[in-house]
Amino acid sequence: MRSRTSDIAAGLATLAVAGIFQAQSGDLEGVSLLFPRMLIIFMTIGGVFIFVSGLLTPRARVDEAPCELPPEEPVVVKRVATIALASIVYVGIIPVLGFYPASVLFLFCMAMILSDSSVTTAKRALSSAIFTVALCLAVWLGFALLLGVPTPQSMFF
Amino acid sequence: MEFIWPAIGHLFDPLNIFLMIVGLTGGIIVGALPGLTATMGVALMVPATFAMDATSGLIMLGAIYVGAIYGGSNSAVLICTPGTPSSVATTFDGWPLCKSGHADIGLFTSLLSSSFGGIVGTVMLLFLAAPLARFALQFGGPENFWLCIFGLSTIAVMSSGNMVKGLLGGALGLLVSTVGIDPNVGVPRFTFGYYPLVQGIEVIPAMIGLFSFSQVLYLVGSHKPFLADYVPTPGALKKVFHALTSRCKVILMRSSIIGGLVGMLPGAGGEIASIIAYNESKRWDKHPERYGTGVVEGLAASESANNAVIGGALIPMLTLGIPGSAVAAVILGALLAKGIQPGFKVFTATGDLAYTFIMSQFAVNLLMIPVGLFLARIMTKLLSIRLTFVAIGIVVLSVIGAYAIRNSMLDVWIVIVFGFIGYFSNLVGLDTGAMALGIILGPMIEENLGRCVHLSKASGDSVIAVFFESPIAVLLMILTALSLLTPLFLDWKRKRMEAKCACAPTSLKEGPPHA
């Protein structure tokens, strides 16, 4: 992201967070408000500073910037959105299906979707299935059996 | 000396050697898994020690502690995820080293530095326990407050490229840390109408989200086939050893002393020590701009400090019965369960046990080198697994690791939310390292600020007066000011040099990023 855009976005995000916390601090008083209030004020000043400095950055300077900065790596937005959405769904279904069934579903589907598309579907399905079983087994052995770490309870079992 | 020779003799007992190796291996694995902490590893093994004699049990718990603190660096280097909060600073140079294809350099530097730091910490425990314990007792609210602010001043050094964004990231982290019950008066705050948030934002899930889940989003988006290119460096261990013994001697010693001193302060742990040590190392370096690009100096500072914390944390535990860290508290519990009362008498009444435990820390830190080397070679195999599998595997491990902390789904959601925050922050240049620092130090800062406010009310003075009453607090204030001003001074110096010589900018960046 270019310096100008990132400054404006960072400034707005900071101001938004400060605003949300300010709105929530209504009933607080005394020592419990002291520290958050200091931070909210600091973030508001800093947010305005970054936002304004982003707005004031001349476009001509923006064009010069890429020479000084390392080239940004290309990002495949679709893949980022896919894993982000799938992770939300995964965490959402854990309390319903249970940790292991949800993990099997998540791992297999994601391995199929995100794996190298040049490989045949059958090969991808096989490698995804092996990976899913191996990881779930390793997690069960390491966490549940050896360390006795509990897994999230499901609605059904 | 009457206890030391018999103590050394106990270490050659085959059972104790076996327990040290098992403890180290288990500790390294637990430490390397995000979400599983040294405290959890030691606590899980306490019941097992009840079947052993007190000496063997303590030796094993000590080995797990050492292994877990070092283990955190493995995931910090390999997947940019601090396995324990102590390894946050390790990601700054460890991950760039891994990305540049030198994962082995990163892992070996962490290993040797951790071992060195652990030994220095143990030397401090052995020879300086009594005076240091008395010094630690002088730390109250104002001193702890300024210690944390000193730790926080690292942000200025960390993000000298854009200090305002770094400070804003830190402030955001501090603000997030205020969610939940207020540590001073017990009032719930910033719960946004969602009752489970009364528990507050737990540090570890937030770290997993900021460093691990955000990294998953980045890696999947990058569409690379593997996590990082990795070709084993011929003679990597020898090169790292040479680098550490030549140009990192001072860094190792300074960072280990910082670790030992910070470790003995109750509440201040490896995370603060490693960040302060990293900060100091960068501040005193001739070319601080290299830090964060994958330099062994940064790794050496962070890892030696967090392992030196162990010896420091054991000082108040053994001499005063006050644990310097959560793990020390668990070990203290194990001691009490065995009917051993910590205090200065522990070195006389149960001297055999106390000195065997201390000497075992030397042995464990030395044994960690072969054990750690063996495990590091296995862990680098992770880099040959396809990135898609690693990324989605990290998601599953992050979920179970976060859930394991408090058995709460809230922590799992925290991972996801902070993952998005971390990803967005990286896009807009808000420093996630600074944010993590804020989340870690926030509760301590607020709690100690509250104590200072209460002190000022009780004495009828202002809070400022309370700060200036303590010479230690004043010293920490001066160090904080120096820490904040150094990057500005260095920046000014760099610009002056650039103005003097037009060709200077490139020459400043010379030198290999690795050993």
Side-chain angles (χ1 to χ4, degrees), chain B residues 43 50 257 269 298 310 335 363 374 410 451:
Chain B
F50 293 153
I257 292 171
I310 297 170
L335 273 176
F374 173 71
L410 171 70
R451 278 184 195 155

Side-chain angles (χ1 to χ4, degrees), chain B residues 53-121:
Chain B
D53 67 88
T55 312
S56 299
L58 264 183
I59 286 174
M60 192 171 84
L61 294 181
I64 297 171
Y65 190 4
V66 172
I69 297 294
Y70 155 67
S73 69
N74 285 285
S75 46
V77 171
L78 292 173
I79 52 172
C80 191
T81 302
T84 60
S86 307
S87 309
V88 168
T90 309
T91 59
F92 301 159
D93 279 292
W95 175 236
L97 260 177
C98 179
K99 275 203 294 187
S100 64
H102 298 98
D104 49 0
I105 299 278
L107 290 173
F108 296 160
T109 306
S110 302
L111 177 61
L112 296 182
S113 307
S114 295
S115 176
F116 182 84
I119 289 170
V120 172

Side-chain angles (χ1 to χ4, degrees), chain A residues 15-30:
Chain A
L15 287 171
V17 173
I20 291 167
F21 274 79
Q22 173 60 30
Q24 279 280 309
S25 62
D27 298 334
L28 298 173
E29 56 184 23

Side-chain angles (χ1 to χ4, degrees), chain A residues 1 6-7 17 20-21 24 28 32 43 73 75-76 79-80 84 87 91 110 114 131 147 149-152, chain B residues 36 44 165 172 182 189-190 192 213 218 220-221 224 388-389 392 403-404 407 409 412-413 420 423 427-428:
Chain A
M1 203 181 274
S6 74
D7 280 358
V17 173
I20 291 167
F21 274 79
Q24 279 280 309
L28 298 173
S32 60
M43 284 176 68
E73 286 184 42
V75 176
V76 187
R79 284 169 65 88
V80 177
S87 301
V91 175
M110 281 298 98
L114 298 174
F131 170 72
L147 297 173
V149 174
T151 51
Chain B
L36 297 192
L44 280 168
K165 279 189 180 175
L172 187 63
D182 167 27
R189 295 177 302 185
F190 308 118
F192 303 94
F213 188 59
Y218 162 76
V220 169
K224 288 178 190 164
T388 305
F389 291 153
I392 56 179
Y403 183 81
N407 297 346
M409 278 305 285
V412 181
W413 284 111
F420 293 138
Y423 187 73
L427 279 181
V428 301

